[in-house]
């Protein structure tokens, strides 16, 4: 009569310890053991409620994470089909995002720019222009335009010229969450301007 109620509570506690929160201790007496059994059942009921809330939060977090991955994949797919060079750096200066054209231009395998520092992947000239523009865009919260030359890793010969817009992305406590880069290839325009200047110089000499 004494050991049986205790064994019932013990068996229920063992089930709860193994993860079965539906376990309840049998309440067969009104003495201290009965009070213990009721307290135990109150505790397991609260555990079931907390576990249910936690599971709901985990499910919601999983759905949110899946939606974020899907959104990022969609954004990456859109950017990868752009001929412009596109990249975003985070507050620590490392790349958060880069499109395929940007990585190809620098000779990086697809998907490897993320997490790297610009100083590690950008060549001389472009590196200095980029870092200076990023610092100014972040400090002043404005769009900064820079033109730079870049010899593509996939091509040989003369460098190509790009006109880049560097701009702050998002705001948190008055500071940008990152800095974006959008650079268009203006090589043909640059060549046309050089040809025009060359013809004007020849004309001036003829005079």
């Amino acid at each position: 009569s004494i050991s049986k109620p205790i064994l019932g509570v013990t068996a229920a506690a063992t089930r709860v310890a193994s993860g079965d929160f539906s376990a309840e201790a049998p309440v067969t007496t009104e003495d201290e053991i009965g009070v213990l059994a009721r307290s135990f059942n109150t505790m397991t009921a609260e555990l079931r409620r907390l576990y249910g809330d936690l599971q709901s939060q985990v499910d919601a977090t999983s759905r949110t994470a899946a939606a974020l991955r899907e959104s990022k994949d969609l954004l990456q797919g859109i950017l990868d089909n752009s001929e412009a060079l596109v990249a975003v750096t985070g507050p620590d200066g490392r790349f958060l995002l880069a499109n395929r054209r940007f990585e190809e231009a620098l000779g990086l395998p697809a998907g490897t720019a993320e997490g790297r520092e610009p100083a590690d992947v950008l060549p001389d000239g472009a590196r200095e222009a980029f870092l200076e523009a990023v610092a100014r865009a972040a400090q002043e919260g404005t769009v900064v335009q820079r033109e730079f030359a870049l010899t593509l890793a996939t091509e040989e010969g003369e460098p190509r010229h790009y006109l880049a817009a560097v701009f702050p992305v998002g705001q948190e406590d008055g500071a940008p969450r990152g800095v974006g880069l959008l650079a268009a290839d203006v090589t043909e325009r640059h060549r046309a301007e050089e040809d025009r200047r060359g013809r004007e110089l020849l004309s001036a000499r003829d005079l």
Side-chain angles (χ1 to χ4, degrees), residues 65-78:
L68 287 174
R69 285 194 299 269
E70 184 177 349
S71 296
K72 183 177 180 180
D73 290 344
L74 177 60
L75 175 61
Q76 189 70 52
I78 294 172

Side-chain angles (χ1 to χ4, degrees), residues 165-185:
V166 181
F167 50 90
V169 177
Q171 290 287 327
E172 186 174 6
D173 297 330
R177 294 182 179 179
V179 175
L181 163 78
L182 182 63
D185 190 333

Side-chain angles (χ1 to χ4, degrees), residues 93-107:
R94 297 177 182 271
F95 287 114
L96 293 175
L97 177 72
N99 72 339
R100 182 169 52 200
R101 184 61 176 164
F102 180 88
E103 292 177 324
E104 288 177 349
L106 298 176

Side-chain angles (χ1 to χ4, degrees), residues 2 10 19 39 47 100 117 120 122 129-130 140 149 161 180 184 207:
I2 295 176
T10 302
S39 299
L47 284 174
R100 182 169 52 200
E117 296 184 358
D120 295 336
L122 293 172
F130 177 78
E140 300 180 5
H161 293 264
L207 293 176

Side-chain angles (χ1 to χ4, degrees), residues 39-168:
S39 299
F40 179 86
N41 291 338
T42 299
M43 179 192 71
T44 55
E46 183 65 13
L47 284 174
R48 284 195 297 272
R49 185 188 67 79
L50 292 174
Y51 181 77
D53 291 345
L54 178 60
Q55 189 62 48
S56 297
Q57 293 176 15
V58 170
D59 292 342
T61 301
S62 297
R63 289 193 297 270
T64 300
L68 287 174
R69 285 194 299 269
E70 184 177 349
S71 296
K72 183 177 180 180
D73 290 344
L74 177 60
L75 175 61
Q76 189 70 52
I78 294 172
L79 295 180
D80 283 345
N81 283 284
S82 171
E83 288 299 314
L85 308 185
V86 184
V88 178
T89 61
D92 62 354
R94 297 177 182 271
F95 287 114
L96 293 175
L97 177 72
N99 72 339
R100 182 169 52 200
R101 184 61 176 164
F102 180 88
E103 292 177 324
E104 288 177 349
L106 298 176
L108 300 175
T112 60
E114 184 175 341
R116 302 185 66 173
E117 296 184 358
D120 295 336
V121 298
L122 293 172
D124 293 341
R127 180 192 303 124
E128 289 74 15
F130 177 78
L131 293 177
E132 184 273 332
V134 166
R136 182 178 172 188
Q139 292 171 2
E140 300 180 5
T142 187
V143 178
V144 178
Q145 287 192 344
R146 290 289 183 272
E147 187 168 338
F148 63 89
L150 179 65
T151 300
L152 302 184
T154 55
E155 298 180 9
E156 296 181 357
E158 296 182 1
R160 303 195 70 81
H161 293 264
Y162 289 89
L163 179 62
V166 181
F167 50 90

